[in-house]
Each structure stands twice: as structure tokens, then as C-alpha cells.
Amino acid sequence: MRRLTLIRHALTEWNASGRFQGHTDLPLSPEGVRQARRLASYVRGLESGAAIYASPLLRARQTAELAFPGRELRLDDRLKELHFGEFEGATHAENETHAAWAWWMEDPFARAAPGGESYRALRERVVNWMGSCQEADHVVAVTHSGAIQMLLAHVLGVEHPRWRKRIYLRHTGVSRVLFRDGECIVERVNDTRHLTQEGSDPFLD
């Protein structure tokens, strides 16, 4: 049985202020660093044979470095967040004044954000990444909410996922997919017990 564990990065200042980040490269906030360290205490039991991947964007890379200190990180551009193009750096309310916002919001899965990409394109690249990771029985990816949403939508057979509607993921939330006998089984989604509990048993046994 193979396992794929997906972890959303920890908090940034733009997350806290509700700004679209996409490919904008920002570090973790002090609260994000705290979250990543709590995550580290939770994943301490992860076996050494797991392959650890991360998006090269700073917020994901920092989360992975804090959560898995001393472990080799395999950075992969396919794990980046959706490129929001002209919408990056603005809040939802500010983007509502953009001439292309209403048009994009009608179908962000099929339509690319101005200067950016569509969720269909994001889904294609993260699914391509997943298919290329066959070298380990357990693969861990520290990535972004959009990337994880599209991967989970793919394994669940949701063909036209509604952006931000179907799958909610908190910062450092953990999701896991099992591959067994030709089937994909979603074993957990958005596990954040490490943010509220001390001394929990590792979830990656």
C-alpha cells in the first residue's frame, strides 16, 4: 500500500490579511512559524524512508524545513499554488472592482486569471506530479491549498470542482490518500489536531 500525505503551508501575513498570494513569494509570519513547529512535533514519528517534497515557494519551503528538520527536500515547481495573475496582492473585496473579476469567477476552473492560470491547468500539473512520484511507498508534499484541493478532487472523481466550495483546508492541515489494489482512498482531510493538542501520537504511523 502506498501513501500520499499532503500538508498545506503555515500562515503568512497575506493569509492573515486575506490577500491573494498565488506565486507571490512571501515568508511565514511569526504565527506561521509557530504552526510549523507544532506540526514538527506531530510528524516526529515519520519513517526515514518517506520522500519529502515541497513547493519551492518560500512559505511552503519554510514550513517543510521547520516540520522536517535535517530531511532532504525535493522541490518541484508543479507543487506551486495557482497563479492568480493580476489578482495577487489584493483582497477579495479589492478584486471585485477589477474589470475581469466577475468574468473569471463565473468559471475559474476553465478560465485563466488575467496574467495567471486556470484551476484546470493547476489540476493538470499537480496530477502530473503525483503520477511521477513512484519511488517511495510514502510520499509527503508540503504545498498549497489550491494544489491539495485539485489533487483531492482528482482522486475523488470531482470533474469540475467549485473553487473554495468543496474542500476546506486550514494552514498546516494534513490530508492523506492511500493507494491500494488499484483504488485511491482518501483517508483524512484537513487534520489540524496538532494546533490544539499537546502530546498527540504521530499521525504518520
Side-chain angles (χ1 to χ4, degrees):
M1 179 176 65
R2 293 178 53 245
R3 290 174 289 169
L4 172 61
T5 298
L6 303 166
I7 303 175
R8 187 186 181 190
H9 66 81
L11 192 76
T12 71
E13 296 292 354
W14 275 19
N15 288 138
S17 61
R19 298 190 178 277
F20 285 68
Q21 286 179 110
H23 283 201
T24 304
D25 210 8
L26 298 171
L28 298 180
S29 67
E31 173 62 16
V33 170
R34 187 191 72 83
Q35 290 175 340
R37 287 177 173 156
R38 294 291 295 273
L39 175 66
S41 67
Y42 201 33
V43 301
R44 197 167 290 136
L46 178 63
E47 72 273 15
S48 60
I52 313 294
Y53 284 81
S55 159
L57 293 173
L58 185 57
R59 58 193 185 271
R61 196 169 75 246
Q62 283 185 321
T63 301
E65 290 169 348
L66 288 167
F68 303 102
R71 298 290 295 273
E72 177 189 359
L73 295 183
R74 308 179 189 194
L75 303 181
D76 197 305
D77 283 344
R78 292 172 292 180
L79 289 171
K80 287 182 177 180
E81 179 61 286
L82 182 88
H83 194 327
F84 287 102
E86 295 177 14
F87 301 137
E88 294 188 10
T91 65
H92 191 287
E94 290 167 345
N95 275 324
E96 286 181 335
T97 66
H98 192 292
W101 178 256
W103 169 84
W104 182 69
M105 284 295 289
E106 287 178 359
D107 193 355
F109 185 74
R111 296 175 178 175
E117 64 182 334
S118 68
Y119 276 92
R120 188 194 304 278
L122 170 60
R123 178 166 170 165
E124 288 174 354
R125 63 175 162 87
V126 294
V127 169
N128 178 272
W129 167 82
M130 183 173 66
S132 70
C133 298
Q134 304 291 331
E135 80 286 5
D137 289 335
H138 190 181
V139 171
V140 177
V142 181
T143 180
H144 307 268
S145 59
I148 297 171
Q149 287 166 343
M150 293 302 104
L151 281 168
L152 293 177
H154 172 74
V155 300
L156 290 169
V158 180
E159 291 304 316
H160 199 100
R162 296 176 63 200
W163 175 61
R164 289 190 173 182
K165 298 291 186 182
R166 298 284 176 85
I167 302 168
Y168 176 72
L169 302 164
R170 292 181 63 196
H171 294 95
T172 69
V174 178
S175 303
R176 185 161 64 183
V177 180
L178 309 179
F179 301 88
R180 181 170 56 201
D181 300 328
E183 296 287 343
C184 298
I185 303 166
V186 177
E187 189 268 342
R188 70 184 68 204
V189 175
N190 194 38
D191 183 352
T192 55
R193 73 187 78 179
H194 52 282
L195 298 181
T196 57
Q197 297 181 14
E198 295 283 0
S200 299
D201 291 333
F203 63 88
L204 293 168
D205 49 3

